[in-house]
Amino acid sequence: MRALFTFLIACFLTGPLISYSQSISSQPNIVPSTGKITGKLTLVDGQPYGSASVSLLEIKKSTLTNDKGNYSFNSLADGTYTIKIQVLGAAEIDIAVKVVSGQTTIANYQLTRENIQALQEVTIAGNTNRLSQKESIYIARLPLKNLENPQVYNTVPKELITEQMATDLGSITKNIPGASIPVIANQGRVTYFSRGFETEPNARNGVAGQAFSSIDVANLERVEAIKGPSATLFGNSVSSSYGGLLNRVTKKPYNDFGGQVDYFGGSWNYNRVAFDVNTPINADKTALFRLNGATTYQKTFADQGYTNNISIDPSFSYQINDRLSLLVDIEFGQETGTSVVRFNPYTGGGTVANPKIRNIATMGFPYNRTFMSNDLTYTTQMLNIFTQLNYKISDKWTSQTIISRARSNIKGDITALTGRTDSTLRPNVISGTTSFIATNIQQNFIGDFKVAGLRNRLVVGADYYNNFNDFDRETVNLPDVNFIHTPASYRVSQFKVDSLSTKGSLRKEKNEDNTYSVYFSDVISLTDRLKVMGSLRASRYMYLGVYNLITGTTAGGLGAGGITAGPYNQNDLSQKLGAVYEVYKDHVSVFGNYMNGFFNDSGVAKDGSAFKAEHGNQLEFGVKSDVLDHKLVGTVSYYDIKVGNILRTDPTDANYSIQDGTQVSKGVEIELTANPFRGFNIVAGYAYNKSILTKTDPAEEGLRPADSGPARMLNFWFSYRMPTGDLQGLGVGFGGNSGSLSYQTNTNTSKVIIPGYTMFDASVFYDQPKWRIGFKVDNLTSEKAWSVRLTPQAPARFTANLSLKF
């Protein structure tokens, strides 16, 4: 914490020094006059382009375009000047202008390549459909338009987050087709579903950004759900699901002073204050600073439970010269709270001939009871540091260096409830500390050039990823209790847990792994409409083993002390192929892709052969559209994912595993954002997924995996905001999420059904240039619903919001 505040203080103290030193060194010996140069930088479609470097060569001054694409130079002497515009990934632009005392010279420029986008994230304003912002620099690691990209992805922009008054990651992911009810882990960590697989928010600004704790949304510019196995471009450490990955894009500094303060208050003592302050810290506006943060306290609708957190998220960018830029982005969060309910029902008592079928809605488990006390708390601390250095080597090549480090610490009590019979459960409490540290170092070279007359957009990179985990905790099992007829005074307290600590089981261990990768991805424009993509990653995975602090041995126990036992290495290749054809140039494209993902598996089979990496391959095709001046943007796709090399129990010896398991996940996804008439916006999605374990243990053969979520899901949000008149800015919103039934357990002898759900949200707001007020109701009808961990969802929740802008 001290280091964080030292960084902030240093930024504020060094800002004036930077400004002063540059003003001394860069001013020519001329008589000041009132001559002025202003201009605007736009894309080929007329959209403003922000954060581009603009220099005045004769006096060696530089600035950046703002989010409206504007720039200016003041107090210039009469004469002829040369303006140089630098955009990463594009050729230099030199413009000769003449300055006359007392006049303003206009020097506008429109870029000739429509898909140019700086490798340092910028905000491009002016889209007719304000809830549809598809263009991204992270999806393909190249400046590639959505219509040119053969991969499907969904974005949730800050405009939609603001309109829905979404203050947590789970509320944001409700806008992603197929996400289902978010799963809240015991430390506040959120996961969701994608294409039949549980998926975590492991990526931040395109690289490793794991957080084994709650993630505050105060600094989010948008969320990107990248669909399908994506290990080729992101590696399996970040893309840890065959369903895809969730990338959190953070807010970046811009070259103007501004900000916002928000207050939210609502049901169950919900109180939240968030802030966003941005300022240039030198006269030329090339050094910029932004600070986001929030603090939230809330109780739950249940009889016990609360969370109390704070986040501080500073970011600093510096256009060092017209070729070199630096971005530093920090994310700090700390939370104290109690675990959400996690119930694992009793699954015994059934046979293949007569399976036992239970339903969480009818088994008598209380909807609003935790069985725990508020003194069983955990404390988490999360620190993510992201540094990016961009250097424009030439008109055709750019270097991008990224260093990312993510740390999460957990201390205290984590709770769960395990069913013992159809009417009893056993509380479990895990006490102690856990640490997760991930380091990602990445070097990319990004080119845009022609070979034999064909345009190539190429990224070549090397990646190092280190993961370190440290566990020092104890699991305590409490006596069984009847959950249907529980005494009113029953509570599991810290005192009860401490009294049984000598009977608990210990986990004291450390583990670590390293991954070294090289990769490339090339998009070749065979014609103006037809583009093909070829990508390949080669990885070397080195697992250093699990070191047991109690026994002093590494997993496997070989040798004195076991120091050298347990580790293993695996080499893997991951491919990605794709093609896009723009049927209607810049408006409609058809695409197809083949993508691969993998997970490293340790151990040996009964015959002594080492296991290989598990792998998943996706085949997908579909249609993307962006028509009617961005008023209708959508994607329809069909995918088929086949997973192989899954470990399963050896049928000849239960002490071993064999690696011949398979799974199939296929389905259809539809995404739509529309602006049918001025002020009215639609965001909608539908997902159908069919997942089957095609070869596995007999208990699950031919069934849908229990952790696949609902087979059918629908999401929508309609909103209308008055575009003109005395009530301009007044708006209403209405939306909903629906999912079919799913399973917590699904075997041939036992099933635990989670019923389908339909939940509606509604809001009213009044948005003005200097302030905003809003009121929202989540789960309007108090629908009873459960996540896959059987965590009951909150009934109708009321939230009010007041925002002040400056």
Side-chain angles (χ1 to χ4, degrees), residues 25-156:
S25 61
S26 62
Q27 294 298 324
N29 186 21
I30 58 176
V31 178
S33 70
T34 57
K36 182 178 182 180
I37 299 174
T38 66
K40 184 173 184 178
L41 184 63
T42 56
L43 297 170
V44 71
D45 60 359
Q47 300 295 326
Y49 188 78
S51 295
S53 172
V54 182
S55 304
L56 209 54
L57 297 185
E58 284 74 13
I59 61 173
K60 299 180 181 179
K61 287 180 67 78
S62 297
T63 188
L64 297 173
T65 56
N66 63 18
D67 60 353
K68 296 180 180 179
N70 296 321
Y71 70 91
S72 65
F73 294 101
N74 302 318
S75 301
L76 300 175
D78 291 358
T80 301
Y81 295 84
T82 303
I83 292 175
K84 182 166 70 173
I85 299 174
Q86 287 271 41
V87 175
L88 295 174
E92 292 181 5
I93 301 145
D94 290 338
I95 305 173
V97 296
K98 185 176 183 179
V99 173
V100 178
S101 178
Q103 297 182 16
T104 298
T105 302
I106 307 298
N108 297 331
Y109 189 84
Q110 188 170 27
L111 293 166
T112 57
R113 282 187 177 175
E114 56 201 308
N115 61 326
I116 291 298
Q117 191 170 13
L119 298 176
Q120 179 169 303
E121 178 70 11
V122 298
T123 300
I124 299 177
N127 195 332
T128 303
N129 186 352
R130 62 188 179 84
L131 301 186
S132 176
Q133 297 181 17
K134 295 292 291 186
E135 310 311 329
S136 171
I137 59 176
Y138 303 108
I139 309 299
R141 297 198 181 280
L142 289 167
L144 201 64
K145 292 191 308 179
N146 175 46
L147 291 176
E148 298 177 305
N149 195 331
Q151 186 167 9
V152 174
Y153 60 93
N154 316 123
T155 60
V156 185

Side-chain angles (χ1 to χ4, degrees), residues 389-401:
L389 195 68
N390 293 326
Y391 181 69
K392 186 176 175 63
I393 301 171
S394 68
D395 290 347
K396 296 180 173 60
W397 286 96
T398 298
S399 169
Q400 181 188 71
T401 306

